[in-house]
Amino acid sequence: MSSSYKSLKEECYEANMQLNALNLVVYTFGNVSAVKRDEGLFAIKPSGVPYEVLKPEDIVILDFENNIVEGKLRPSSDTKTHAFLYKNWEEIGGIAHTHATYSVAWAQAQMDIPIFGTTHADHLTADIPCAPPMSDDLIKGNYEHNTGIQILDCFKDKNLSYKEVEMVLIGNHGPFAWGKDAAKAVYNSKVLEVIAEMAYLTRQINPNAPRLKDSLINKHYERKHGKNAYYGQ
């Protein structure tokens, strides 16, 4: 692969393959993108290509206006959502979208995922937000672009920071996650799916299970992310 975007394509390819390896996708569902900020470009999985035949050279390079810069295949159908988020959230380096079972179940229920336990608090201090279903006017318009608007509106309405909450559910649709690079976006997608499953099971065992108390939320988040964090090496 002689492309000048070889490293960007390989980063995107590896992240997409990891999405599949972590059982977050079935068939051709899902996609990951990776951004090259200094050139205003991003790489994304081509639409409808099975993971078992996907190759690094198949990855499509686009600018933030959705113009193809390099690639012979059509990019993911979700490309406009990725482009919109990259344009508006300047500190993210990768985005992942899946149709993972438990995450989608909460999205279809149109419910935020409550913070029930310390696994959730290890990663964020808020409930995982679920954006309301898209309005009919937006559905009839530029749908994938408007999905990005849907996400930004949700964060504005709930007064959330994309730097602190790196995941969201789209009502009746499914999850998006992001991070400093494509690998972190995939990591956050897996964390979201695990938390979604744990929360579902918690509700089955006790429909009235209480939210995790603030002292435990703060303790677990701060020990991994605070200025005096001591988790890890």
Side-chain angles (χ1 to χ4, degrees), residues 5 11 14 20 33 36 42 79 81 91 94 104 109 122 160:
Y5 306 113
E11 178 189 356
E14 292 296 338
N20 188 46
S33 64
K36 189 173 177 63
F42 68 100
T79 294
T81 307
E91 295 186 36
V104 168
D122 281 340
L160 298 172

Side-chain angles (χ1 to χ4, degrees), residues 114-126 128 187 191 194-195 198-199 202 210-225 231:
I115 183 166
F116 284 131
T118 60
T119 307
H120 188 145
D122 281 340
H123 296 88
L124 66 162
T125 61
I128 296 169
Y187 172 89
V191 168
V194 169
I195 290 172
M198 290 176 174
T202 299
R211 193 174 188 270
L212 185 64
K213 61 183 182 179
D214 288 345
S215 57
L216 277 173
I217 292 174
N218 293 331
K219 178 63 177 179
H220 274 262
Y221 187 81
E222 290 297 321
R223 72 175 190 161
K224 286 191 77 170
H225 307 284
Y231 177 88

Side-chain angles (χ1 to χ4, degrees), residues 134 137-139 141-151:
M134 189 181 290
D137 286 344
L138 290 182
I139 291 170
N142 192 343
Y143 178 71
E144 289 79 14
H145 172 86
N146 292 342
T147 300
I149 294 176
Q150 192 181 8
I151 293 171

Side-chain angles (χ1 to χ4, degrees), residues 67-105:
N67 299 305
I68 294 177
V69 173
E70 184 172 293
K72 298 179 180 178
L73 301 175
R74 284 198 302 269
S76 165
S77 58
D78 295 303
T79 294
K80 290 182 180 179
T81 307
H82 291 243
F84 185 87
L85 293 179
Y86 284 132
K87 285 175 67 176
N88 286 275
W89 287 347
E90 297 180 353
E91 295 186 36
I92 57 176
I95 300 169
H97 172 53
T98 80
H99 288 260
T101 303
Y102 289 91
S103 301
V104 168

